[in-house]
Amino acid sequence: MGSEGCTDETALVLALRAGDEAAFDALVTRHHGSMVRLARTFAKTDAVAEEVVQVAWLGVLAGIDRFEGRSTLRAWIARIVVNTAKKRAVRESRSVPFSSFDAPDSERAVDASRFYPADHALWPGHWQTPPEDWPEEALLTSETRAIAARAIADLPPAQRQALLLRDAEGLDAETICEELEITDGNLRVLLHRARSSVRRAIEEHLSGTNGGGS
Amino acid sequence: MTRALRGELECKEVVELISDYLEDALPLEERTTLEHHLVYCAGCATYARQLRDQRKAFSVDGARTITAAERAQLFSAFRKWKAGRPG
């Protein structure tokens, strides 16, 4: 992840082209982890993600002569991972197109029934049932984490990826857009939908266990 | 109090903007209106905190070190690749 010097990177690329195993070793050590994390955002299981990364490494080797250093090596490798994952998903027929940003129009961040109706005399469109604060510890319990993990797993693939890369991995928006080849606007829509869905799931869980809500 | 709310954002609209707000992606005017709303609306302030804080529950679990078997597989692929290269 960090900012390795580019001369170091260039040296590694040259050494790899020359067939230097130590250079390959260094690249694997440096990039394998983030490749797996990226692949995991596409794949349902860790096993599939690992497989995708194995294939992606073959792609890195096959393509290293064509790497021109116009992007960082990391971004270039990431693109190979993404392409490999997409090809794999296409083969597994049940996949949803990754570019599908269309969620049902009815999907709102918060259910409309939580707000006063538009014709309310004093508070149109304002909270009728406002959210209750979550104690910080509540977010850290294994139970809540499991709820979040399930909600994330249930998201449409593009939303899941955007959320994991931004909020779990903490990558900056620019890097994510570059890696997934989407626009800034697309990323924001995906994040908005994903975060809203996951928040609903966590809220449902926490208000249930705290005896609050409904 | 209600007079202060007129002409401002409704909570229903605010919740659709919070994610963009967290991304620092709102145009200045909209951001200012939203921040003003968050000052007086406890419900929306809570909502914004939740959307920001929920990521603490997103585990990035540790199993990302490569296993010996995977490493061996990679290096065998590497040697095959190397053997197939000219020169």
Side-chain angles (χ1 to χ4, degrees), chain B residues 21 39 54 57 60:
Chain B
Y21 174 64
V39 168
Q54 66 180 4
V60 182

Side-chain angles (χ1 to χ4, degrees), chain A residues 43-121:
Chain A
K44 281 275 183 194
T45 69
D46 288 357
V48 171
E50 286 288 352
E51 247 177 81
V52 163
V53 172
Q54 289 279 341
V55 174
W57 273 117
L58 300 183
V60 168
L61 291 174
I64 195 67
D65 289 334
R66 293 189 302 276
F67 174 69
E68 290 170 337
R70 271 186 281 133
S71 59
T72 62
L73 187 62
R74 179 171 195 269
W76 182 74
I77 291 176
R79 207 159 300 135
I80 294 175
V81 174
V82 170
N83 289 335
T84 309
K86 282 180 179 170
K87 262 183 233 154
R88 159 98 198 204
V90 169
R91 274 211 325 272
E92 289 172 1
S93 51
R94 62 174 193 90
S95 75
V96 184
F98 285 104
S99 55
S100 77
F101 295 105
D102 33 271
D105 275 344
S106 60
E107 192 182 303
R108 306 198 55 99
V110 175
D111 193 82
S113 67
R114 303 268 309 258
F115 302 98
Y116 287 110
D119 59 359
H120 190 268

Side-chain angles (χ1 to χ4, degrees), chain A residues 149-212:
Chain A
R150 196 176 320 142
I152 292 170
D154 286 345
L155 291 171
Q159 287 184 32
R160 184 172 67 233
Q161 272 178 293
L163 185 81
L164 288 173
L165 294 175
R166 186 80 184 96
D167 287 349
E169 297 295 335
L171 297 189
D172 59 71
E174 199 185 342
T175 307
I176 299 171
C177 291
E178 199 179 301
E179 289 186 1
L180 300 182
E181 296 177 71
I182 58 176
T183 66
D184 225 40
N186 285 341
L187 176 62
R188 287 206 296 275
V189 170
L190 293 171
L191 285 174
H192 169 60
R193 294 199 172 138
R195 286 168 174 167
S196 308
S197 301
V198 173
R199 197 207 66 87
R200 283 196 300 271
I202 295 177
E203 178 177 63
E204 201 175 307
H205 163 68
L206 289 182
S207 64
T209 53
N210 293 344

Side-chain angles (χ1 to χ4, degrees), chain A residues 17 19 21 25 37 40 54 61 65 109 123 125-127 132-134 166 168 188 192 195 199, chain B residues 5 11-12 16 19 23 25 44 47 49-50 53-54 57 60-61 64 70-71 79 81-82 85:
Chain A
R17 282 177 187 157
E21 193 162 317
D25 191 37
R37 291 201 301 277
R40 269 188 187 168
Q54 289 279 341
L61 291 174
D65 289 334
W123 305 96
H126 289 255
W127 290 105
E132 285 168 33
D133 266 316
W134 297 335
R166 186 80 184 96
R188 287 206 296 275
H192 169 60
R195 286 168 174 167
R199 197 207 66 87
Chain B
L5 292 172
C11 307
K12 209 172 167 172
E16 305 292 338
S19 178
E23 290 300 299
C44 287
Y47 187 91
R49 264 197 309 278
Q50 291 179 341
D53 290 346
Q54 66 180 4
V60 182
D61 45 17
R64 35 179 119 127
E70 284 154 11
R71 204 176 185 95
R79 286 182 201 115
W81 168 78
K82 187 178 173 179
R85 276 171 84 77

Side-chain angles (χ1 to χ4, degrees), chain A residues 1-14:
Chain A
M1 232 163 263
S3 52
E4 299 91 41
C6 54
T7 46
D8 177 31
E9 193 165 85
T10 311
L12 273 180
V13 170
L14 290 175

